[in-house]
Every structure is written in C-alpha cells, then in structure tokens.
Amino acid sequence: MSRALYQILEWITRFAYINVLWVLFTLAGGILFGLFPATIAMFSLVRQWLRGNSDSPVLKSFWQYYKSEFFKSNFLGLFIYGISFIFIFNIFFLYANMGELLTWTTAPLLAGMLLFIMLLFYLFPTYVHFDLSIAQTFKNALLMMFVSPVHTVFIFVSLLAFYFIVYVIPALGFVFGASFYCFITVWFSLDVFKRIAEKKTR
C-alpha cells in the first residue's frame, strides 16, 4: 500500500513539476515564441514516461527538447496561430455585423472550430511520436482524428471532467492544467497509434 501511495505521489509531483517548467520556459521564450517549444518538450517527456522511460532527469530532458525543437515547433506554431486568427477574426467580424444573428449564421464556422480543436488533440502527440514534416504532421493528426472517434469522445469527456474539478478547485488548474491536458491526449493517442500499427502488421 505504501509503495502504491509513493508512486502516486511521485507521479503527482512529476506532473506538477513539468507544468511549472512549461510555464517558465513559455515565459522565457517571450510567450509567443516560447509556447510551442515548451509544449513540445512537455509532450515529449510525458510520452517517454507513458512508454516506461521515467528515469531521465526532468529538467535536463525538458531543456534538450526545448532547444532541439525550438525552430520547428515555432514553425508549427505559425500555422496554429494563423488558423486560430482566422477563426477569431471571423467570429468578431460576424458579431460586429450581425449581432444577435451570430449563433445562427456561424454554424459552419463553429463546426470548423470544433474540428480544429479535435485536430489539436492529436497534433502534438503526432508531432512527438513520429519524425514527420509539418505538413505530414497535420495530415496524420487529421487521419487519427477521423479513424478514432471513440478516443476523441473519451478525450472530450476526460477534459470536461477536469474542467468541472478545476471549477470547484481553481488551484488545480494552475498546478496541473497543461500537464493534465498533455497526459490525457498523449495517453489516448498512444493507444490509437498502437492500434493502427497492429492493423498494419496484420
């Protein structure tokens, strides 16, 4: 029992620590240029942990991923920033010109935003799991999203449950927000990757 409790506390500490590192390294890159290298570093470490490699020093590994993926991850970030800007611009434009009709006239736009959010569930796990170009990363993440609707639903449900917990205990959002999102998406994505690989071997 004490052994199990120790392991639980160790994992809790790890995820709190990596969440702090994610915040610090994001700030170190001026937020705009630090967000995606820090995110990729966090996803890379969590992927290692879930695959059984949890012995490497956290800070050293995080810094190595951050440095090595700085430019490529920011290139990925440019696409995400661009797509996000298009959605946000269109919402504000429609709201400014149509007012109360917004909810009826933006159905396709909101559907596109939903698809984009679901794509993000698989985008970072795909990036850290495969050695692909940015275009191939988007393509494969999109494929994962469409071939694994059940996993996508589980991700939604898990994140929604965490949202309600954070609503009751806001401090948990500051301590585990990014790392919990990372853990959930990587955990389910690894199962998707495994299933697809097994189908290919058959």
Side-chain angles (χ1 to χ4, degrees):
M1 182 64 181
S2 59
R3 172 73 176 174
L5 180 61
Y6 173 79
Q7 289 181 335
I8 291 172
L9 292 175
E10 183 183 20
W11 279 99
I12 290 174
T13 304
R14 280 178 176 271
F15 280 102
Y17 182 34
I18 201 173
N19 201 80
V20 171
L21 290 178
W22 177 78
V23 172
L24 292 177
F25 278 83
T26 297
L27 294 174
I31 300 178
L32 188 65
F33 295 108
L35 175 61
F36 288 96
T39 300
I40 292 301
M42 178 176 61
F43 271 81
S44 298
L45 268 178
V46 171
R47 172 182 172 271
Q48 275 193 21
W49 296 346
L50 291 177
R51 288 167 63 89
N53 182 15
S54 58
D55 297 327
S56 55
V58 177
L59 178 58
K60 181 180 178 181
S61 299
F62 195 100
W63 171 239
Q64 288 175 341
Y65 283 123
Y66 186 88
K67 286 193 304 180
S68 63
E69 298 295 333
F70 188 86
F71 292 104
K72 184 180 178 182
S73 63
N74 270 308
F75 189 56
L76 173 71
L78 287 176
F79 285 94
I80 296 176
Y81 284 139
I83 296 170
S84 301
F85 175 79
I86 292 171
F87 282 124
I88 293 171
F89 175 82
N90 278 280
I91 286 176
F92 277 104
F93 177 81
L94 290 173
Y95 181 78
N97 288 275
M98 300 182 181
E100 295 181 357
L101 296 176
L102 177 66
T103 55
W104 298 101
T105 57
T106 58
L109 181 62
L110 295 176
M113 288 181 62
L114 180 62
L115 287 174
F116 180 59
I117 291 171
M118 290 191 294
L119 174 66
L120 291 179
F121 290 163
Y122 298 98
L123 189 63
F124 295 112
T126 300
Y127 181 104
V128 301
H129 191 75
F130 302 102
D131 184 17
L132 302 171
S133 66
I134 298 300
Q136 290 174 323
T137 299
F138 272 97
K139 180 181 177 181
N140 278 268
L142 191 65
L143 175 64
M144 301 298 173
M145 181 186 74
F146 283 119
V147 301
S148 53
V150 175
H151 289 77
T152 304
V153 171
F154 280 134
I155 292 174
F156 259 121
V157 172
S158 300
L159 294 177
L160 187 62
F162 182 68
Y163 168 79
F164 285 118
I165 294 173
V166 169
Y167 182 80
V168 177
I169 312 174
L172 291 178
F174 292 101
V175 179
F176 298 107
S179 59
F180 181 82
Y181 170 85
C182 177
F183 167 74
I184 290 297
T185 54
V186 172
W187 193 65
F188 282 108
S189 295
L190 286 177
D191 188 60
V192 175
F193 300 154
K194 180 182 176 183
R195 290 171 182 268
I196 292 177
E198 287 175 349
K199 286 182 180 178
K200 286 183 177 180
T201 56
R202 296 193 194 118

